[in-house]
Every structure is written in structure tokens, then in C-alpha cells.
Amino acid sequence: MTVLLTICCVGLLGYGMRAIFIVSLAKLSFPPLALRLLEYVAPAVMGALVMTMLTGPEGALAVGIPELAGLILAAVVVARTRNVLAGLLAAMGIFWLLRHFLS
Amino acid sequence: MTQSPIKKAVLDTLTLFVPAIPFALVFGIAVNESGLPALLGWSTSPIMFSGAAQITLVTLIGEGASLAAAATAALIVGARHLFYSITLAPRFQDQPRWFRWVGSYMLIDQVFALTVTLENRDPNYFRRYYLTSGISFWTLWMSFTGLGLFIGPIIPESWGLAFATPVLFLGLLALAIDRWEKVVVAVVAMVVTLVLADLPNRSGMLVAAFLAILIGLILERIRR
């Protein structure tokens, strides 16, 4: 019961974080500099999120050669094709291959 | 001729969702290992609708952290949505009021990544595309996190399926980059997150995102 309550609280606050600016800034006009600055949000936040996922709980980089090769290949493939699925298949392919030969 | 927003949204959603399937399975494993009842664990899908925050919450509860600590960590992981909200706010200005409230619920990483780069500026096109993508992701995420509860635990760990999750988000990052200044900003965000990895509750990622956006501001100043 208390777990469900916690989930609901997190869900409600999470919704609030998504809605706050969309709802409250509906009438505000954004200066051009602010609009240009907002373009950097996606690369900044996604970059931070990817690195958070790669660093283990103790803060050490939990990534070996197969992972690194997979990540680099994924970035190159997605940048060229704009297709995340193609990037994933390439990354998992080289990851499994290298892991097989390096172990 | 412009493609119908609904057809384009469904296609874009499917190519982004397939890479998220392993993520749904990883979630299923996390629920299983946490010892929570399956239905209670799954309830985070409709209530929170945020994969990374759901996994954080469920994992920490399973590890015996206090509910308050688990909730705090999940909220910090979810705080990036504040950035998404402010970024899309200008595009929601010429939209009906109901859509601002409903659209906010669907503001997940993938929907953000797809709509922030949308070139068609027509408000109706934006709304149809956003809703189609949001509803499609929602339906798929509810189904596959449900399946993940059963399939996730029987997949051998040696497959290394968990690696698909950072790859997925790196893919979303690559989609968000269309000029070199954004590469610099992304690299700064990654390096700062790595340096601050020891901060409690993974809060380093928020500091890193802030700093990286500031670097973007400096780059804009230099360019002009």
C-alpha cells in the first residue's frame, strides 16, 4: 500500500515536471536568444543521460572494448542514417562479435 | 507533397520502439528481482510512464532503500523532463489548452527526440504527429513492460541485452545533433557527468546538463 502511494507521488511529481513549463509559459513570448539556447537542451540532457547509464553505481566506467566499439559504431550509423534501429543492430552485432573473440 | 503526420509518426515510433524492447525486458528483470508483486511493479508504467525512472525506483526499493530515498532518486532521474518541458513550451503556445495537459503526460524521451526536430511548423501537423507518436509509444510500452515481467527473467544474462539501453539513448542523442556546436555540448555533458559520477542520487547529470547548455550559450555568442 505504501509502495503504491510512493509510486503515485513520484508519478504525480513527474507529471508536474513535464507539464510545468508547457502549461505556465503558454502566453509568454520567448526572446530569440532563449529559443537558440533551447536547441542545446537535447544534446546536453541526452549526453548526460547516456553517461549516467554507462557509469556503474560506484562511479567507475563499466565499459570494455566491445561496449566502446558498439557505442562508437551506433553513433556513426545513427548520425549517417538517422535510423536508431539500424544503429542498435550494428552496435549489438559488433558487441557480440568482439565479446565472443575477446573472451 | 507532405506525408501524413499520422503515418509518419507511426513509422518513426516503430523504428524507435524496437530498440526500446530490450529496455522493457530489463525493466521486467528489475521488477522480478525487487520482489515486488508483478502488478504493482507494472503499475509504474501507466503511473510514471518513464522507463529510466521506473527502473531506478523499482531497483532501489528491491535493494531495501527507504521509499523516500528511492522516490528521490527516481525524481532526480526524471528531472530532465523539466528541460524537455521548457524546450517544447514555444511549440505548445499555439495549441489548444487540453493538448498542453494531455501532451505533457506523453512527454517521454522518444517523443521529445522526435518532435523537437520536427521540421513542419504547422500547429495541426505538430499536434497530430505528437499525439500519434505519444499514444503509440504508450500502448507499446504498456504491452511490452507487461510481457517483460514474464520474458525478461528467462533471458540468459550472458546475452548482454542490458547494453541495448545505453545504445538506444546514444541513438536519441545522435538524432538530436545537426551541427558541430551540439557535438561539443554533448561531449561536455558526458565528461562532466563522468567527473561528477560520485554525487549522491546521480544528481551529477543535472549539473552536467546545465553546464553543457551554458557552453552552448558561449558558442552562440562566439558564432555571432
Side-chain angles (χ1 to χ4, degrees):
Chain A
M1 191 57 218
T2 48
V3 173
L4 185 61
L5 211 64
T6 307
I7 293 172
C8 288
C9 285
V10 175
L12 209 63
L13 288 169
Y15 175 75
M17 291 195 287
R18 295 174 195 206
I20 186 162
F21 295 119
I22 287 178
V23 171
S24 69
L25 302 184
K27 300 272 182 281
L28 187 102
S29 69
F30 283 76
L33 180 68
L35 287 176
R36 283 206 305 278
L37 206 56
L38 289 181
E39 282 200 30
Y40 292 102
V41 169
V45 174
M46 298 285 182
L49 186 61
V50 170
M51 191 49 87
T52 303
M53 288 175 165
L54 292 178
T55 48
E58 63 291 316
L61 202 62
V63 172
I65 292 171
E67 285 89 353
L68 210 57
L71 288 168
I72 292 170
L73 189 65
V76 171
V77 170
V78 178
R80 294 204 157 226
T81 63
R82 317 298 292 171
N83 186 322
V84 178
L85 181 54
L88 178 83
L89 294 177
M92 292 312 281
I94 190 113
F95 168 68
W96 280 323
L97 214 69
L98 282 179
R99 217 176 41 155
H100 179 76
F101 285 113
L102 292 179
S103 63
Chain B
M1 204 188 105
T2 49
Q3 204 183 3
S4 123
I6 295 180
K7 201 170 142 194
K8 181 168 159 49
V10 169
L11 281 175
D12 290 349
T13 300
L14 284 177
T15 42
L16 268 193
F17 190 78
V18 176
I21 291 175
F23 195 31
L25 299 182
V26 170
F27 169 76
I29 297 170
V31 171
N32 208 270
E33 287 177 352
S34 73
L36 288 175
L39 190 63
L40 184 62
W42 180 82
S43 76
T44 57
S45 280
I47 297 174
M48 292 166 63
F49 194 26
S50 169
Q54 287 174 244
I55 290 181
T56 304
L57 185 72
V58 164
T59 307
L60 286 178
I61 291 176
E63 284 172 1
S66 74
L67 288 177
T72 307
L75 284 170
I76 290 174
V77 169
R80 64 184 184 283
H81 295 98
L82 286 166
F83 289 106
Y84 299 166
S85 182
I86 198 166
T87 303
L88 287 183
R91 305 215 52 178
F92 272 89
Q93 287 184 331
D94 41 16
Q95 296 292 346
R97 199 190 160 105
W98 65 265
F99 179 53
R100 288 199 275 273
W101 292 100
V102 173
S104 295
Y105 172 69
M106 301 171 183
L107 186 55
I108 59 170
D109 298 292
Q110 284 90 341
V111 172
F112 173 73
L114 286 176
T115 53
V116 77
T117 49
L118 211 56
E119 272 161 20
N120 195 322
R121 312 298 291 187
D122 175 53
N124 286 322
Y125 186 96
F126 177 83
R127 187 172 63 253
R128 292 199 184 110
Y129 183 94
Y130 189 105
L131 283 173
T132 308
S133 172
I135 292 168
S136 310
F137 269 118
W138 189 87
T139 312
L140 290 165
W141 184 247
M142 295 312 125
S143 316
F144 277 83
T145 47
L147 280 175
L149 295 173
F150 305 101
I151 301 173
I154 57 175
I155 290 177
E157 206 174 312
S158 61
W159 287 12
L161 222 51
F163 177 57
T165 306
V167 172
L168 162 66
F169 283 92
L170 188 71
L172 294 183
L173 170 61
L175 280 187
I177 286 175
D178 53 10
R179 38 176 218 263
W180 68 267
E181 286 94 340
K182 294 188 183 175
V183 178
V184 176
V185 166
V187 170
V188 169
M190 294 177 98
V191 172
V192 176
T193 306
L194 182 60
V195 172
L196 299 181
D198 287 330
L199 286 193
N201 287 328
R202 301 302 184 90
S203 50
M205 70 174 278
L206 293 179
V207 181
F210 256 119
L211 276 176
I213 294 168
L214 276 182
I215 298 290
L217 176 67
I218 294 167
L219 290 175
E220 281 290 325
R221 286 289 184 191
I222 292 170
R223 210 156 63 116
R224 247 128 265 271

